[in-house]
Amino acid sequence: MNVYVVLLPSILLTDLAAPLDALRYARRFGAELEVRLISPSAQVESLFGLRLSGMEALPEQLQTGDLVVLPGAMDEHLAYRGAAGVALSDWLRERFDPQVHQALCICSGVFLLAQAGLLEQVKCTTHHELTDELRQWSPSADVLENRAFVDDGAILSSAGLPPPLASILSWFARRSGPGSARKLARPP
C-alpha cells in the first residue's frame, strides 16, 4: 500500500514529522507501507525557511487502499490558494475517490479537500481557530469543533498535534487490528 505524504509551501514541520514517525513505527510493527513524499513543486519552503526538495511528482493514479496524508501549513492562503495548492486540489479532485482511497488531514491540511470539493457531507475538524473559515470553504461539510480528530471513514481529520498521532493510530487499528495499534502506541 502506498502512503503519499504531500508537501506544500509553509508546511508545518511538526505536521510532517509526526505522521512520518508514526508511519515508521507502523512499518516496524508489520504494516506493509510504501511511504512516498510528493509535491506539485520541485522544492518547497517550510514555515521557517527550511527548503525541502527531492519529492516525487504527484502520481498519475492512486491504487485501491492508498492513503494521502495532507499536513497543515501556517499560511493557508499561500499553501492552498497558491499555484501548488491549486494544482494539488485539482489532482485530488481528479484522482482521489473516497470509495477506494483514504485521506489523513492534519490541522489545516483539510482545506485542500475542501478546495477540491471532497468534503460534501463529510464530518471533519481542523484547528479551533480555523473552523469558521473551513465552513466558508466547504459549507456542506459537517465541521465539528472541540474534537482532537474525526474519523469519517475515508477521511480522517485532526485539529493539530498530538491528534495526528491519534488519527494514525485509528487508521492503523482499522487496517491492522487494535492489538497492532496498541503496540504502535507503545513503541520501545
Side-chain angles (χ1 to χ4, degrees):
M1 172 187 152
N2 293 308
V3 177
Y4 293 103
V5 181
V6 176
L7 282 74
L8 286 175
S10 81
I11 189 169
L12 293 166
L13 293 176
T14 52
D15 285 10
L16 174 63
L20 287 175
D21 200 40
L23 291 167
R24 174 180 66 94
Y25 276 109
R27 288 183 3 182
R28 184 174 176 182
F29 289 109
E32 294 183 22
L33 306 174
E34 181 68 34
V35 179
R36 307 172 86 120
L37 303 177
I38 63 170
S39 179
S41 306
Q43 177 176 298
V44 299
E45 190 169 308
S46 75
L47 173 63
F48 290 107
L50 179 64
R51 289 193 178 110
L52 304 167
S53 60
M55 292 82 64
E56 298 177 36
L58 301 176
E60 287 298 316
Q61 62 183 4
L62 296 172
Q63 303 298 318
T64 297
D66 283 353
L67 173 68
V68 178
V69 178
L70 301 166
M74 191 61 190
D75 184 341
E76 294 86 16
H77 293 282
L78 169 66
Y80 309 141
R81 300 279 190 187
V86 170
L88 181 64
S89 293
D90 290 345
W91 177 81
L92 285 165
R93 186 179 312 104
E94 294 168 6
R95 291 177 177 79
F96 182 84
D97 178 354
Q99 299 300 315
V100 295
H101 307 123
Q102 294 180 305
L104 172 61
C105 306
I106 301 166
C107 197
S108 63
V110 72
F111 281 80
L112 290 160
L113 292 181
Q115 185 166 276
L118 293 167
L119 288 183
E120 292 186 22
Q121 309 306 314
V122 171
K123 289 183 172 124
C124 58
T125 195
T126 189
H127 189 278
H128 66 91
E129 293 178 353
L130 301 174
T131 54
D132 288 337
E133 186 174 358
L134 181 57
R135 286 185 185 101
Q136 292 172 2
W137 281 44
S138 185
S140 66
D142 187 2
V143 180
L144 304 176
E145 296 188 49
N146 301 315
R147 304 288 177 94
F149 76 96
V150 174
D151 182 343
D152 192 17
I155 296 174
L156 294 92
S157 54
S158 68
L161 287 174
L165 299 176
S167 299
I168 286 179
L169 286 172
S170 175
W171 168 80
F172 189 61
R174 191 175 344 140
R175 179 170 169 71
S176 302
S180 295
R182 277 191 293 279
K183 287 181 185 175
L184 178 58
R186 303 177 112 200

